[in-house]
Structure formats: C-alpha cells, structure tokens
C-alpha cells in the first residue's frame, strides 16, 4: 500500500473537543521494502562466507579469503546474494535514485541512495556491515572478474 492509499484509508474521527483527528488503527503496517525471506537468506549466505574468517585479516588478505570462500559455496547461495542486490537496485529505480553507497565507513552499515540530489540512508532497508558488503560485491562478479580485481586492485 503506498502513502497516498494509506492516507485515503485513514479514517477521520472527532476527538473530545470535536476536532477531526486521524484514526491510525485503520492503516495497514507499511509494506517491507524487500521480501523478508530474501533478506534473511541473503544475510545467511553472506554470514556463512565470513563466519570462520580470522579476525586479523584485513585488506587484500580479507578479500582473498572472501573470494576463496565464494568459490567453494553452492551456486544457489551466490544467486540469493545477487537477487538481494538486484532487489536493492529495483528499489533504487522505483524511487528514482541516481546512485547508491554501501559498505563505506561513512555509510555506518546503512544503504544510502541519492534521490534528486539528496543522499539519505534507507532506514527501511536492512543494515549491512562492511564485511558483508564485501561479500555481496564480490558475489556480483564472476570468478574471472574477481581474479582480475584481486590481481590488479
């Protein structure tokens, strides 16, 4: 249900002074931005990739670990990660966003969209820690592309 439909569905009722107030009990809860099962499955797949990663890895060594782990997991898990990102991109298109920011220090775990020049966090999308965005981004490319990225940096 979109915002206009919610506002239309909101009943008006008089308060104790006779003034009209919105009856919010008539509105449905907001529709989730992404399918819950897709979010859960994608986060589970990304967490699986990093669950045994040594905490001391960072930089190139961390990226190599993620690349090796992605090569060893079931292709269906990779597909779920890709579908998750595609759902985020579809959401971008739906709200006319021009770009996306995720995984950077400044993103603070949120997915950010720039809509008509204004960059804002999308609080209705799941938070994704930087480590998981590394997994997601590597999951979007092929094995050969990943090898080139790691080699050429």
């Amino acid at each position: 249900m979109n915002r206009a439909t919610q506002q239309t569905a909101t009943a008006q009722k008089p308060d104790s002074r006779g003034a009209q107030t919105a009856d919010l009990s008539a509105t449905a809860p907001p529709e989730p931005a992404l399918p819950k099962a897709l979010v859960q499955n994608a986060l589970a797949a990304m967490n699986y990739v990093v669950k045994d990663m040594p905490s001391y890895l960072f930089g190139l060594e961390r990226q190599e670990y993620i690349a090796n782990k992605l090569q060893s997991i079931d292709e269906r898990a990779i597909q779920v990660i890709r579908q998750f990102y595609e759902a985020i991109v579809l959401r971008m298109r739906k709200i006319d966003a021009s770009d996306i920011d995720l995984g950077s220090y400044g993103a603070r775990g949120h997915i950010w969209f720039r809509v008509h020049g204004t960059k804002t966090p999308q609080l209705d999308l799941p938070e994704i820690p930087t480590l998981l965005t590394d997994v997601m981004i590597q999951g979007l490319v092929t094995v050969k592309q990943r090898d080139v990225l790691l080699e050429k940096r």
Side-chain angles (χ1 to χ4, degrees):
M1 179 182 295
N2 65 28
R3 175 170 270 177
T5 307
Q6 282 181 329
Q7 289 172 342
T8 304
T10 303
Q12 297 288 316
K13 66 177 186 177
D15 67 6
S16 59
R17 300 174 310 218
Q20 293 292 319
T21 60
D23 179 6
L24 298 178
S25 64
T27 61
E31 192 175 304
L34 300 178
K36 186 177 181 178
L38 177 60
V39 172
Q40 290 173 336
N41 290 337
L43 291 175
M46 290 185 281
N47 276 305
Y48 175 79
V49 170
V50 297
K51 72 179 177 122
D52 296 324
M53 186 175 76
S55 60
Y56 58 83
L57 292 181
F58 64 96
L60 181 59
E61 288 80 17
R62 177 164 52 181
Q63 298 306 320
E64 288 173 338
Y65 179 92
I66 292 169
N68 290 334
K69 191 73 171 199
L70 282 169
Q71 285 180 299
S72 70
I73 66 172
D74 190 301
E75 181 61 29
R76 290 175 294 184
I78 302 281
Q79 285 302 103
V80 168
I81 293 169
R82 289 178 181 156
Q83 289 169 352
F84 175 66
Y85 186 75
E86 288 169 5
I88 293 168
V89 172
L90 286 174
R91 173 89 189 322
M92 271 182 76
R93 288 184 65 189
K94 184 176 182 180
I95 66 170
D96 202 27
S98 62
D99 61 273
I100 184 171
D101 183 10
L102 50 86
S104 66
Y105 176 76
R108 298 183 307 274
H110 293 290
I111 298 169
W112 294 63
F113 291 160
R114 184 179 317 279
V115 180
H116 305 295
T118 304
K119 186 174 167 184
T120 56
Q122 302 302 297
L123 301 177
D124 57 340
L125 294 178
E127 288 187 32
I128 308 173
T130 300
L131 183 58
L132 297 188
T133 60
D134 290 347
V135 174
M136 181 172 62
I137 291 167
Q138 282 204 43
L140 298 175
V141 298
T142 66
V143 173
K144 285 185 179 188
Q145 290 170 326
R146 203 175 300 131
D147 290 343
V148 168
L149 285 172
L150 292 172
E151 183 181 313
K152 305 272 182 182
R153 288 174 258 168

